[in-house]
Structure formats: C-alpha cells, structure tokens
Amino acid sequence: MAPCQSCHAGCCRSFAVPITGADMISIERRTGLSFWDFACRWADPEGKIACGRVPHFFFPDAPDTPFVICLLQTHSLFLPGTVKCRFLLECPPDQEHPLGQARCGVYHNRPAACRVFPTKMNTTG
C-alpha cells in the first residue's frame, strides 16, 4: 500500500505543486494527457512557491510577474468550496474514515515535489 493511500490528502489540497520538465514528460507518457490537461502557471511574486529551487517563467501577458509551472487544481467533490490536485482521487467520508480517503492517481509517476514531501530543505547556512 502506498503511504499516502490511507490519508485524506491535506497536502494535495493545500499546496501549489511545482513540476519539472522531467515531471511533465513522465506524466504525459504515463497518462496520455497533454501538458495543458494537468499543468498551469501560478503567479509567484514573493517567491514562496519557487523558494529559489524551481525556475520562474515570464509571459507576455504579465511580463513583470514571475510564474511557476505547477500541477493544475480542480474543485473537490467531497469538500465543497475547496480545491485539490487534479490527480487526487477522492473517496467520500464514512464511519471508518470520517475525513474521507484519497490517493494519488499518478503515484508511481508523481512529481519530484510530491516524492520528497514533507522534506524541507535546510535554508540556513
């Protein structure tokens, strides 16, 4: 069983997940989806998403705004008013799992940021 399989996927609902070129290729090959079916750009003017570890991109429609390429989010079916990773598969709450259950639909090809979460980089020194 994948370690994330029994959780309610709080991390998959809370964060913009930056993706690398390798992540994009892996997801495209595994799912058959095009880039635009799973990726989007997130404005990152304070650098809180990139954290100096992933590149910023600039686009002609907002030339002064740094963006990070991230996984697309969609509306949650079981937690109305919230969003989730586009690949998060949800199961509704029940007696045994009052928060519901969720699992990653691309677990074996998940992005590097998901593979290392909740690891934090040492930002001192």
Side-chain angles (χ1 to χ4, degrees), residues 4-121:
C4 299
Q5 193 167 357
S6 64
C7 82
H8 69 286
C11 59
C12 302
R13 301 175 194 284
S14 303
F15 301 105
V17 178
I19 54 177
T20 66
D23 295 332
M24 293 174 210
I25 291 168
S26 177
I27 291 170
E28 282 181 329
R29 286 181 180 165
R30 169 84 170 148
T31 65
L33 296 171
S34 79
F35 171 82
W36 296 110
D37 291 328
F38 63 85
C40 65
R41 66 183 191 175
W42 282 69
D44 190 28
E46 289 89 35
K48 291 182 180 180
I49 299 171
C51 293
R53 291 176 183 81
V54 295
H56 276 134
F57 296 90
F58 295 86
F59 295 90
D61 63 332
D64 297 327
T65 304
F67 289 91
V68 176
I69 305 301
C70 294
L71 288 180
L72 187 64
Q73 291 188 334
T74 60
H75 293 282
S76 172
L77 297 175
F78 301 113
L79 297 173
T82 66
V83 293
K84 65 178 188 72
C85 172
R86 183 247 189 270
F87 292 114
L88 184 65
L89 305 174
E90 297 179 303
C91 297
D94 59 23
Q95 281 295 111
E96 189 177 344
H97 304 96
L99 295 176
Q101 282 188 292
R103 65 181 177 87
C104 179
V106 292
Y107 185 80
H108 295 291
N109 294 93
R110 67 196 183 281
C114 300
R115 289 179 185 276
V116 300
F117 186 84
T119 302
K120 292 184 179 182
M121 300 293 195

